[in-house]
Amino acid sequence: MAAEEMFLYWGSGSVPCWKAMLALEEKGFSGYKNKMISFEKKEEKSPEILKLNPRGQVPAFTHGTIVVNESSAICEYLESTFKDKGTQLIPTDPNERALVLQRMYEADANLMQKMLLDFLYYYFYTENLVMDPATFSKKTESLKEELDRWDGYLGQKQS
């Protein structure tokens, strides 16, 4: 199947969507069709998206009749389906593969949770007059701890 049979629904500013887009580019699929979904207009809850993802979330990816939701699943699908095309996204060496998969899921579960949901949501959607300094400080410290952890990961030399 060619890139013309691929379609990616994505949302502007969505980190998970960027991960899927980068994976498609790294695998050499620059000609895939795509549509930016407006979160302001709640297009992720449109019948078009709900038909693909009942959760009403993007990224939503189609490859012919195959539907894959969630950025990490899209990355794994592309890697396993197109092993010999473009950049290898996930190593074949068991030790390296385990580490990449661990970091990929860890980022989804922890880094995105703390950065996007806890810190940024609180910062941008809480009025300054009602923002509790202690809560903000706690969320800031939690995010800093997570970012320090990732800084440590990135500074480690892998064998």
Side-chain angles (χ1 to χ4, degrees):
M1 289 189 197
E4 301 85 45
E5 298 177 49
M6 296 180 177
F7 202 102
L8 180 70
Y9 295 88
W10 59 283
S12 178
S14 169
V15 174
C17 291
W18 282 104
K19 182 166 47 170
M21 295 168 89
L22 288 170
L24 281 159
E25 292 294 325
E26 288 295 321
K27 291 310 266 180
F29 293 114
S30 57
Y32 65 92
K33 297 175 186 170
N34 68 89
K35 180 179 180 181
M36 185 177 80
I37 300 303
S38 170
F39 294 121
E40 287 181 359
K41 296 178 183 175
K42 304 217 182 289
E43 289 178 344
E44 74 276 15
K45 304 299 182 191
S46 69
E48 181 180 21
I49 298 298
L50 290 171
K51 184 173 103 175
L52 301 172
N53 186 342
R55 294 181 185 275
Q57 299 171 335
V58 291
F61 173 76
T62 62
H63 181 212
T65 59
I66 298 166
V67 177
V68 184
N69 297 305
E70 303 295 335
S71 59
S72 292
I74 294 167
C75 290
E76 288 194 53
Y77 172 79
L78 291 170
E79 182 63 18
S80 65
T81 305
F82 303 102
K83 289 179 183 170
D84 298 328
K85 184 162 176 53
T87 303
Q88 183 180 11
L89 302 175
I90 302 172
T92 53
D93 174 78
N95 291 325
E96 292 175 3
R97 182 178 184 82
L99 183 60
V100 166
L101 292 172
Q102 171 64 36
R103 296 296 186 251
M104 186 166 69
Y105 288 104
E106 189 177 1
D108 287 348
N110 295 292
L111 183 60
M112 293 300 112
Q113 170 72 34
K114 288 187 174 137
M115 184 170 63
L116 294 178
L117 298 179
D118 291 346
F119 181 80
L120 292 176
Y121 185 84
Y122 186 80
Y123 182 79
F124 286 109
Y125 293 103
T126 303
E127 296 291 329
N128 285 338
L129 297 175
V130 295
M131 188 179 286
D132 176 41
T135 300
F136 184 71
S137 178
K138 183 178 177 184
K139 290 181 181 295
T140 301
E141 186 57 32
S142 177
L143 176 59
K144 182 183 179 320
E145 288 172 7
E146 187 65 26
L147 292 174
D148 286 347
R149 180 175 293 111
W150 282 90
D151 190 45
Y153 290 162
L154 295 173
Q156 292 175 353
K157 294 197 183 225
Q158 305 302 321
S159 56

